[in-house]
Amino acid sequence: MHRYPPIADHGLVGDLQTCALVSAEGVVDWFCSPRFDSPSVFGRLLDHERGGHFSITVDTPGTTVRQLYLADSAVLLTRFHTPDGVGEVGDFMPLPADPGVPTDRHTLVRVIRVVRGTVRFKVECRPRFDYGREPHELVLDGASARFAGASATAHLQVLGGGPLERDGQDVRAEVELSSGQRAAAVLTLDAPGAEPPEPADATSLQAAFDAVRSFWHDWISRCRYRGRWQQQVNRSAITLKLLTYAPTGAPVAAATMGLPEQVGGERNWDYRYTWVRDASLSVRAMVDLGFVEEADAFRRWLGARWQAGGTVSGEPLQIMYRVDGDPHLREEALDHLEGWRGSAPVRAGNGAADQLQLDIYGEAVYAFAHAGELTQQAGYDGWMRFAATVDWLCEHWDRPDEGIWETRGGRKDFTYSRLMCWVAFDRAVRMAHEYGRPADLPRWTAARDAVLHQVMERGWSAERQAFVQHYGSDVLDASLLMMPITRFIAPRDPRWLSTLDAMDAELVSDSLVYRYDPAASPDGLRGSEGTFSLCSFLYVDALARAGRLEQARYAFDKMLTYANHVGLFSEEIGPTGEQLGNFPQAFTHLALITAALTLDAALDA
């Protein structure tokens, strides 16, 4: 068994309030409860010794392991092919009775089955509450165990196997099955001191499995996409749904924290929060796929943030929040954890929450611009709050900020930030006209035009013949691939085509795209990073809009080969094709969907 399996060697299961990563060896090495952004219960992904894990493995020599999803579902199978037989572990998380109501109780079901011969499985459950900082006490009763910690309780039931054995404050067991036999390990996380769940049996587990599979089949059947990349788009849509906190409709950026952008480096952030930018851009994709309810749920959450105020940054909006809307994300280094393959520090919380990133206003308005019915439902009071923010932006858009990539090297006049301020004014003007709402249209229009003139004059480098990262520089930045998508510039405008050519020459490597060159534009952090998968898909989108269809399709098909074995993407791709950064990343899957939609439309046309 690998001490630290590759980041990509995992599948994701979840219940719309939290989730778990299951390695391709059958190990649950990441699971936070009761929410995505809660402390970990199993965190071996970040520390092999201290993190804790829940494993069902086979250590027979000569065993090969394969992992897959049941089609169009979030049920994960890990199959063990041994010299003596073939067995599998099916992992899923039953949904709460009402996923829209927060609950402390979350269950992971692990069904063990042998389909040929005989297979011996090794079961170990070693929870480590609060990122491994909190001890627990074990109460063992035959095939059941209770792990009692100060912040949570874990209940384990094993059906159809041998009795659990104590191993300190943890448990282990062996389960040997022959063809046609089944067993199961059911883990329930709950509040401290909670009563144990009802005893599970074969009938209740089959009913839970049927309910989970039916839910996902029914949900994905609403997808309107019928294009060339159906399987990849469906998997990305399911992944986005798995990463969305149902009680509020807020999606997290990724399931994990602390996974590095460079092995051994310090670019290790906590992505278990809701970024206004990422989530707002997902709205258009979800609407285009037919998932209007999910899009509207996020817009309601975003509207509530606008109304609540009270940001850490002091601005009307801040760049990220907890899934319940809490703006406080204090960052701390968990120095007791060694980090994935020694990549320290491991950070919980995110200190970038108080950064100034003006682009978020553009993305937020962009989300509402695709909200026809919801915008009307917001009524007069909702519109007036919205209009007041646009008025505020008229006075505050022309400021240096930290930019989309959350650099920690000082504020600059980032071109992307100005681009999205233009989007805010442009879409706000359109919405006021479309819905006949009161607005200071002369002021909004003047601000829109001022931003455009400024970007064209100061964001354009005559020497590079390209739009650049920030004013006064000649550094390229892949975030500007959003220019034609937002209709700031025509996709075949000479300035844009020369910018695309410059990016091709400097930021693109074998169809993969770097965000920017940290050596040319110091970002306040040591080390380097891989290509950014979001940008690689934005590049496909831009190529398709520019009419470079052969190049776009080639880049898209090649990018799909970097997905992991079950179709998931992390944040970045490393120098030798390995996945880096937090996993799976919602922004990457969102960009995959939008690139597929754009490329399909262009090819059909």
Side-chain angles (χ1 to χ4, degrees), residues 74 107 142 147 169 211 242 251 261 308 411 441 449 574 577:
T107 299
F147 308 88
Q169 296 299 315
L242 278 170
E261 298 172 20
R411 293 181 177 180
L441 286 175
D449 295 347

Side-chain angles (χ1 to χ4, degrees), residues 49-88:
E49 299 299 328
R50 302 177 187 86
H53 65 96
F54 178 21
S55 61
I56 302 179
T57 57
V58 174
D59 56 10
T60 303
T63 298
T64 59
V65 188
R66 296 183 176 89
Q67 198 172 54
L68 68 152
Y69 279 112
L70 294 185
D72 289 341
S73 81
V75 178
L76 188 70
L77 290 186
T78 307
R79 293 173 55 83
F80 301 88
H81 298 254
T82 80
D84 302 316
V86 178
E88 62 187 27

Side-chain angles (χ1 to χ4, degrees), residues 393-414:
L393 192 60
C394 287
E395 297 179 7
H396 294 87
W397 66 266
D398 195 11
R399 293 180 290 166
D401 67 354
E402 273 91 1
I404 179 177
W405 305 129
E406 296 170 11
T407 59
R408 303 194 179 192
R411 293 181 177 180
K412 297 180 176 67
D413 291 306
F414 284 102

Side-chain angles (χ1 to χ4, degrees), residues 248-251 274-283 293-303 367-368 374:
T248 62
T274 301
W275 267 253
V276 168
R277 174 188 309 111
D278 305 32
S280 294
L281 292 176
S282 74
V283 165
E293 290 180 13
E294 286 74 12
D296 283 350
F298 169 71
R299 286 186 291 231
R300 284 190 290 271
W301 179 91
L302 180 59
F368 282 110
L374 188 68

Side-chain angles (χ1 to χ4, degrees), residues 452-472:
L452 188 144
H453 286 309
Q454 188 188 88
V455 170
M456 288 298 186
E457 293 168 6
R458 300 180 63 194
W460 171 260
S461 168
E463 180 180 345
R464 296 299 306 270
Q465 286 293 293
F467 291 103
V468 292
Q469 184 183 67
H470 57 85
Y471 298 167

Side-chain angles (χ1 to χ4, degrees), residues 52 65 112 173 207 232 234 254 278 331 354 356 388 434 483 513 533 586-587 601:
V65 188
I112 309 167
Q232 292 88 346
N234 280 6
D278 305 32
E331 184 174 295
D354 63 354
L356 176 64
E434 182 176 356
M483 280 183 157
V513 182
S533 296
F587 221 168

Side-chain angles (χ1 to χ4, degrees), residues 99-122:
V101 177
T103 177
D104 288 325
R105 174 165 287 190
H106 300 277
T107 299
L108 173 64
V109 178
R110 315 198 70 191
V111 177
I112 309 167
R113 184 169 80 115
V114 170
V115 295
R116 289 181 183 172
T118 300
V119 180
R120 176 175 292 180
F121 296 87
K122 181 180 178 182

Side-chain angles (χ1 to χ4, degrees), residues 215-351:
F215 170 84
W216 288 107
H217 285 177
D218 292 346
W219 185 81
I220 201 64
S221 70
R222 293 161 41 200
C223 182
R224 291 201 297 248
Y225 179 79
R226 297 294 182 268
R228 295 166 177 81
W229 296 280
Q230 183 85 49
Q231 183 176 347
Q232 292 88 346
V233 168
N234 280 6
R235 180 52 52 197
S236 289
I238 290 171
T239 303
L240 290 177
K241 180 70 170 175
L242 278 170
L243 293 175
T244 300
Y245 185 63
T248 62
V252 295
T256 58
M257 53 175 264
L259 293 178
E261 298 172 20
Q262 179 187 30
V263 180
E266 66 169 340
R267 299 167 185 263
N268 318 316
W269 314 113
D270 191 345
Y271 276 14
R272 301 169 302 150
Y273 307 114
T274 301
W275 267 253
V276 168
R277 174 188 309 111
D278 305 32
S280 294
L281 292 176
S282 74
V283 165
R284 176 68 182 271
M286 297 303 275
V287 169
D288 286 346
L289 292 181
F291 299 114
V292 178
E293 290 180 13
E294 286 74 12
D296 283 350
F298 169 71
R299 286 186 291 231
R300 284 190 290 271
W301 179 91
L302 180 59
R305 305 287 72 70
W306 235 318
Q307 183 175 0
T311 60
V312 174
S313 64
E315 307 282 316
L317 286 176
Q318 68 183 42
I319 64 173
M320 70 181 95
Y321 300 82
R322 294 187 179 276
V323 291
D324 60 358
D326 185 347
H328 300 282
L329 285 77
R330 185 179 67 87
E331 184 174 295
E332 62 176 324
L334 304 180
D335 294 329
H336 65 289
L337 300 179
E338 72 171 5
W340 183 83
R341 298 188 180 177
S343 301
V346 174
R347 297 180 178 93
N350 200 307

